[in-house]
Coordinates of all heavy atoms in Angstrom, one line a residue:
M27 N -20.2 -28.7 -73.3 CA -20.4 -29.9 -74.0 C -20.8 -31.1 -73.1 O -21.1 -32.2 -73.5 CB -19.1 -30.3 -74.8 CG -18.9 -29.6 -76.1 SD -20.1 -30.2 -77.4 CE -19.4 -31.8 -77.7
S28 N -20.6 -30.8 -71.8 CA -20.9 -31.9 -70.8 C -21.9 -31.4 -69.8 O -21.5 -31.1 -68.6 CB -19.6 -32.3 -70.1 OG -18.7 -32.7 -71.1
P29 N -23.1 -31.2 -70.1 CA -24.1 -30.7 -69.1 C -24.4 -31.7 -68.1 O -24.1 -32.8 -68.2 CB -25.4 -30.4 -70.0 CG -25.2 -31.4 -71.1 CD -23.7 -31.5 -71.4
P30 N -25.0 -31.2 -67.0 CA -25.3 -32.2 -65.9 C -26.3 -33.2 -66.3 O -27.2 -32.9 -67.0 CB -25.8 -31.3 -64.8 CG -26.3 -30.0 -65.5 CD -25.3 -29.9 -66.6
N31 N -26.1 -34.4 -65.8 CA -27.1 -35.5 -66.1 C -28.3 -35.3 -65.3 O -28.4 -34.6 -64.3 CB -26.5 -36.9 -65.8 CG -25.3 -37.2 -66.7 OD1 -25.3 -36.9 -67.8 ND2 -24.3 -37.9 -66.1
G32 N -29.5 -35.9 -65.8 CA -30.7 -35.8 -65.0 C -31.8 -35.5 -65.9 O -31.9 -36.2 -67.0
A33 N -32.6 -34.6 -65.6 CA -33.9 -34.3 -66.4 C -33.6 -33.9 -67.9 O -32.5 -33.3 -68.1 CB -34.7 -33.2 -65.8
A34 N -34.4 -34.2 -68.7 CA -34.4 -33.7 -70.2 C -35.0 -32.3 -70.1 O -36.1 -32.1 -69.6 CB -35.2 -34.6 -71.0
Y35 N -34.2 -31.4 -70.4 CA -34.5 -29.9 -70.2 C -35.5 -29.5 -71.2 O -35.4 -29.7 -72.5 CB -33.2 -29.1 -70.2 CG -32.3 -29.5 -69.1 CD1 -31.3 -30.3 -69.3 CD2 -32.6 -28.9 -67.8 CE1 -30.4 -30.7 -68.3 CE2 -31.7 -29.2 -66.8 CZ -30.6 -30.1 -67.0 OH -29.8 -30.5 -65.9
R36 N -36.5 -28.8 -70.8 CA -37.6 -28.2 -71.6 C -37.1 -26.8 -72.2 O -37.5 -26.5 -73.2 CB -38.8 -28.0 -70.9 CG -40.1 -27.6 -71.7 CD -41.3 -27.5 -70.9 NE -41.6 -28.8 -70.4 CZ -42.6 -29.1 -69.5 NH1 -43.3 -28.0 -69.0 NH2 -42.9 -30.3 -69.0
W37 N -36.2 -26.2 -71.5 CA -35.6 -24.9 -71.9 C -34.1 -24.9 -71.8 O -33.5 -25.5 -70.8 CB -36.1 -23.8 -71.0 CG -37.6 -23.6 -71.0 CD1 -38.6 -24.2 -70.3 CD2 -38.3 -22.7 -71.9 NE1 -39.8 -23.8 -70.6 CE2 -39.7 -22.8 -71.6 CE3 -37.9 -21.8 -72.9 CZ2 -40.7 -22.1 -72.3 CZ3 -38.9 -21.1 -73.6 CH2 -40.3 -21.3 -73.3
I38 N -33.5 -24.4 -72.8 CA -32.0 -24.3 -72.8 C -31.7 -22.8 -73.1 O -32.2 -22.2 -74.1 CB -31.3 -25.2 -73.8 CG1 -31.6 -26.6 -73.5 CG2 -29.8 -24.9 -73.9 CD1 -31.1 -27.6 -74.5
F39 N -30.8 -22.2 -72.2 CA -30.5 -20.8 -72.4 C -29.0 -20.6 -72.4 O -28.2 -21.4 -71.8 CB -31.1 -20.0 -71.2 CG -32.6 -20.1 -71.0 CD1 -33.1 -20.9 -70.1 CD2 -33.4 -19.4 -71.9 CE1 -34.5 -21.0 -69.9 CE2 -34.8 -19.5 -71.7 CZ -35.3 -20.3 -70.8
S40 N -28.6 -19.6 -73.1 CA -27.1 -19.2 -73.2 C -27.1 -17.8 -73.6 O -27.7 -17.3 -74.6 CB -26.4 -20.1 -74.1 OG -25.0 -19.7 -74.2
C41 N -26.1 -17.1 -73.0 CA -25.9 -15.7 -73.5 C -24.4 -15.3 -73.4 O -23.7 -15.5 -72.4 CB -26.6 -14.7 -72.5 SG -26.6 -13.0 -73.0
S42 N -23.9 -14.9 -74.6 CA -22.5 -14.4 -74.7 C -21.4 -15.6 -74.6 O -20.3 -15.4 -74.2 CB -22.2 -13.3 -73.7 OG -23.0 -12.2 -74.0
L43 N -21.9 -16.8 -74.9 CA -21.0 -18.0 -74.8 C -20.7 -18.5 -76.2 O -19.4 -18.8 -76.4 CB -21.8 -19.1 -74.1 CG -21.1 -20.5 -74.1 CD1 -19.7 -20.6 -73.5 CD2 -22.1 -21.6 -73.7
V44 N -21.6 -18.7 -77.1 CA -21.4 -19.4 -78.3 C -20.3 -19.0 -79.2 O -19.6 -19.9 -79.8 CB -22.8 -19.5 -79.1 CG1 -22.6 -20.1 -80.4 CG2 -23.8 -20.3 -78.3
Q45 N -19.9 -17.7 -79.2 CA -18.8 -17.3 -80.1 C -17.5 -17.9 -79.6 O -16.6 -18.0 -80.4 CB -18.7 -15.7 -80.1 CG -18.2 -15.1 -78.8 CD -19.3 -14.8 -77.7 OE1 -20.5 -15.2 -78.0 NE2 -18.9 -14.2 -76.7
W46 N -17.4 -18.4 -78.4 CA -16.1 -19.0 -77.9 C -16.0 -20.5 -78.2 O -15.0 -21.1 -78.0 CB -16.0 -18.8 -76.4 CG -16.0 -17.4 -76.0 CD1 -16.8 -16.7 -75.1 CD2 -14.9 -16.4 -76.2 NE1 -16.5 -15.4 -75.0 CE2 -15.3 -15.2 -75.6 CE3 -13.7 -16.4 -77.0 CZ2 -14.5 -14.0 -75.7 CZ3 -13.0 -15.3 -77.1 CH2 -13.3 -14.1 -76.5
L47 N -17.1 -21.1 -78.7 CA -17.1 -22.6 -78.8 C -16.2 -22.9 -80.0 O -16.3 -22.4 -81.1 CB -18.5 -23.0 -79.1 CG -19.5 -22.9 -78.0 CD1 -20.9 -23.3 -78.5 CD2 -19.1 -23.6 -76.7
P48 N -15.2 -23.9 -79.7 CA -14.4 -24.4 -80.8 C -15.1 -25.1 -81.9 O -14.6 -25.1 -83.0 CB -13.3 -25.2 -80.0 CG -14.0 -25.7 -78.8 CD -14.9 -24.6 -78.4
D49 N -16.2 -25.8 -81.5 CA -16.9 -26.6 -82.5 C -18.4 -26.3 -82.2 O -19.1 -27.2 -81.6 CB -16.6 -28.0 -82.4 CG -17.2 -28.9 -83.6 OD1 -18.1 -28.3 -84.3 OD2 -16.7 -30.0 -83.9
P50 N -18.9 -25.2 -82.7 CA -20.3 -24.9 -82.3 C -21.4 -25.9 -82.8 O -22.4 -26.2 -82.1 CB -20.6 -23.5 -82.8 CG -19.5 -23.4 -83.9 CD -18.3 -24.1 -83.4
C51 N -21.1 -26.5 -84.0 CA -22.1 -27.4 -84.6 C -22.2 -28.7 -83.7 O -23.3 -29.1 -83.3 CB -21.7 -27.8 -86.0 SG -23.1 -28.7 -86.8
A52 N -21.0 -29.1 -83.3 CA -21.1 -30.3 -82.3 C -21.7 -30.0 -81.0 O -22.4 -30.8 -80.4 CB -19.6 -30.8 -82.1
T53 N -21.5 -28.8 -80.5 CA -22.1 -28.3 -79.3 C -23.6 -28.2 -79.4 O -24.4 -28.6 -78.5 CB -21.5 -27.0 -78.8 OG1 -20.1 -27.1 -78.7 CG2 -22.1 -26.6 -77.4
F54 N -24.1 -27.6 -80.5 CA -25.5 -27.5 -80.7 C -26.1 -29.0 -80.8 O -27.3 -29.1 -80.3 CB -25.8 -26.8 -82.1 CG -25.5 -25.3 -82.0 CD1 -25.2 -24.7 -83.2 CD2 -25.5 -24.6 -80.8 CE1 -24.9 -23.3 -83.2 CE2 -25.3 -23.3 -80.9 CZ -25.0 -22.6 -82.0
R55 N -25.4 -29.9 -81.4 CA -26.0 -31.3 -81.5 C -26.1 -31.8 -80.1 O -27.0 -32.6 -79.8 CB -25.1 -32.1 -82.4 CG -25.1 -31.9 -83.8 CD -24.6 -33.0 -84.7 NE -24.4 -32.6 -86.1 CZ -23.2 -32.2 -86.6 NH1 -22.2 -32.1 -85.8 NH2 -23.2 -31.9 -87.9
R56 N -25.1 -31.6 -79.3 CA -25.0 -32.1 -77.9 C -26.2 -31.5 -77.1 O -26.9 -32.2 -76.3 CB -23.7 -31.7 -77.2 CG -23.6 -32.2 -75.8 CD -23.3 -33.7 -75.8 NE -23.2 -34.2 -74.5 CZ -24.1 -35.0 -73.8 NH1 -25.1 -35.4 -74.5 NH2 -23.9 -35.4 -72.6
W57 N -26.5 -30.2 -77.3 CA -27.6 -29.6 -76.6 C -28.9 -30.3 -77.1 O -29.8 -30.5 -76.3 CB -27.6 -28.1 -76.9 CG -26.5 -27.4 -76.3 CD1 -25.5 -27.9 -75.6 CD2 -26.2 -25.9 -76.4 NE1 -24.6 -26.9 -75.2 CE2 -25.0 -25.7 -75.7 CE3 -26.9 -24.9 -77.1 CZ2 -24.5 -24.4 -75.7 CZ3 -26.3 -23.6 -77.0 CH2 -25.1 -23.4 -76.3
H58 N -29.0 -30.6 -78.4 CA -30.2 -31.2 -78.9 C -30.4 -32.6 -78.3 O -31.5 -33.0 -78.0 CB -30.0 -31.4 -80.5 CG -31.1 -32.0 -81.2 ND1 -31.3 -33.4 -81.3 CD2 -32.1 -31.4 -81.8 CE1 -32.4 -33.6 -82.0 NE2 -32.9 -32.4 -82.4
D59 N -29.3 -33.3 -78.0 CA -29.3 -34.7 -77.4 C -30.0 -34.7 -76.0 O -30.7 -35.6 -75.7 CB -27.9 -35.3 -77.3 CG -27.4 -35.6 -78.7 OD1 -28.1 -35.7 -79.7 OD2 -26.1 -35.8 -78.7
F60 N -29.6 -33.7 -75.2 CA -30.2 -33.7 -73.8 C -31.4 -32.8 -73.6 O -31.9 -32.7 -72.5 CB -29.1 -33.4 -72.8 CG -28.5 -32.0 -72.9 CD1 -29.2 -30.9 -72.5 CD2 -27.2 -31.9 -73.3 CE1 -28.6 -29.7 -72.6 CE2 -26.6 -30.6 -73.4 CZ -27.3 -29.5 -73.1
A61 N -31.9 -32.2 -74.7 CA -33.1 -31.5 -74.6 C -34.4 -32.3 -74.8 O -34.3 -33.4 -75.4 CB -33.1 -30.5 -75.7
D62 N -35.5 -32.0 -74.1 CA -36.7 -32.7 -74.2 C -37.3 -32.5 -75.6 O -36.9 -31.6 -76.4 CB -37.7 -32.1 -73.2 CG -38.9 -33.0 -72.9 OD1 -38.9 -34.1 -73.6 OD2 -39.7 -32.7 -72.1
N63 N -38.2 -33.4 -76.0 CA -38.9 -33.2 -77.3 C -39.6 -31.8 -77.3 O -40.2 -31.4 -76.4 CB -40.0 -34.3 -77.5 CG -39.4 -35.6 -77.6 OD1 -38.2 -35.8 -78.1 ND2 -40.1 -36.7 -77.3

């Protein structure tokens, strides 16, 4: 939920993490916020 500041990322990757997230929808929105267009 707290990715490093800096560039807007063109690619976001994750493997075997999401099932552990307590609030996956909020996390997906957070990823959307710091992703590039």
Side-chain angles (χ1 to χ4, degrees):
M27 280 290 288
S28 304
N31 294 325
Y35 295 96
R36 189 176 299 172
W37 296 90
I38 297 175
F39 302 102
S40 177
C41 186
S42 301
L43 164 71
V44 169
Q45 72 273 4
W46 298 116
L47 297 174
D49 189 345
C51 190
T53 305
F54 289 153
R55 289 195 191 100
R56 183 74 181 110
W57 295 359
H58 183 276
D59 290 342
F60 61 74
D62 198 0
N63 291 334

